[in-house]
Amino acid sequence: MNVITIVLLTLGLFFFAVGVVGILRFPDFYTRMHAAGKCDTLASELVLLAVALYNLSDPSLGSVLVSIKIMMIAGFVFVASPTATHALTEAALVVGVSPWTRKSGRRS
């Protein structure tokens, strides 16, 4: 169980790091939001799953209930994070934030 937990935590940290690199390196708001939305959601899911599995190492009813609550939080993050990312990008499009093009060449 601990090996699975370590692998999930490592993968979660890897995807958080990839998201940070994407936010720092991508040229405009839209691509940065893409990196933030995708990577943070997956990383959060992996870390929360690892915490839920680690909590089950002590088999008791309390541990099972806590793990169920953690997985419900994971479900909320799975729905809320992409929805928030979509709302932010749509709001940016409405207010006129222009996407990066190779022709414009500027970084925002």
Side-chain angles (χ1 to χ4, degrees):
M1 186 70 84
N2 284 338
V3 173
I4 295 171
T5 302
I6 291 170
V7 167
L8 289 172
L9 280 174
T10 304
L11 285 172
L13 290 175
F14 171 75
F15 283 109
F16 270 129
V18 168
V20 168
V21 169
I23 290 171
L24 293 175
R25 295 292 300 165
F26 283 157
D28 70 340
F29 176 78
Y30 298 105
T31 54
R32 289 177 186 156
M33 287 303 296
H34 176 77
K38 302 287 185 197
C39 292
D40 285 353
T41 303
L42 180 58
S44 298
E45 295 297 318
L46 290 172
V47 169
L48 287 172
L49 181 61
V51 171
L53 286 177
Y54 181 76
N55 192 40
L56 288 175
S57 62
D58 176 30
S60 67
L61 181 61
S63 297
V64 171
L65 290 176
V66 169
S67 293
I68 289 172
K69 289 177 185 176
I70 291 171
M71 292 312 298
M72 289 175 71
I73 292 170
F76 175 74
V77 169
F78 184 74
V79 172
S81 181
T83 304
T85 303
H86 177 76
L88 286 171
T89 53
E90 187 169 334
L93 188 64
V94 168
V95 298
V97 176
S98 61
W100 178 83
T101 60
R102 187 175 301 268
K103 190 176 179 182
S104 67
R106 69 173 175 80
R107 295 174 65 109
S108 57

